Amino acid sequence: MAWNKPDDKTVSFECDTCPEAVDCDIETVRATAQPDPDASDFRVCWRYMEGIGWRSFKRTGRDWTYHCVKCGPAVEVAHREHRRQENERDRIKARNN
């Protein structure tokens, strides 16, 4: 799992590519973020993580993956290529039906 909530004060994120891990202090982020009282602790912290450069990706039939600042760009390129290949497969399937 790329993220977990070890206690009521922290959401921890781990990069799915390298050993990078960051803890997000929920109270600090809620105090500095634009108020959204209905947002979950995860959502508030993930917005913060996105702001510092972390990225997430979801492939059909798979779990979300989370990537740190240094791994994110390479994974984004690979994800774009995966999506391009999926679209090409879908195009070929539609043409053959």
Side-chain angles (χ1 to χ4, degrees), residues 8-67:
D8 291 340
K9 298 178 182 181
T10 309
V11 176
S12 298
F13 293 91
E14 297 173 8
C15 180
D16 284 320
T17 306
C18 75
E20 178 75 16
V22 176
D23 289 338
C24 176
D25 183 281
I26 297 165
E27 289 180 26
T28 301
V29 172
R30 280 197 184 273
T32 58
Q34 292 182 346
D36 184 358
D38 296 330
S40 68
D41 292 340
F42 167 79
R43 186 68 191 132
V44 170
C45 285
W46 181 245
R47 285 182 190 147
Y48 168 77
M49 297 301 287
E50 285 178 313
I52 62 171
W54 279 59
R55 299 179 183 173
S56 63
F57 301 98
K58 171 100 169 86
R59 290 188 180 177
T60 303
R62 297 191 181 183
D63 292 333
W64 282 92
T65 60
Y66 300 89
H67 306 275

Side-chain angles (χ1 to χ4, degrees), residues 50-90:
E50 285 178 313
I52 62 171
W54 279 59
R55 299 179 183 173
S56 63
F57 301 98
K58 171 100 169 86
R59 290 188 180 177
T60 303
R62 297 191 181 183
D63 292 333
W64 282 92
T65 60
Y66 300 89
H67 306 275
C68 69
V69 175
K70 67 182 179 192
C71 297
V75 174
E76 185 171 9
V77 169
H79 186 71
R80 260 193 248 127
E81 176 60 18
H82 172 78
R83 288 179 59 201
R84 187 195 66 73
Q85 290 174 359
E86 279 190 337
N87 290 337
E88 180 64 12
R89 278 191 296 274
D90 290 344

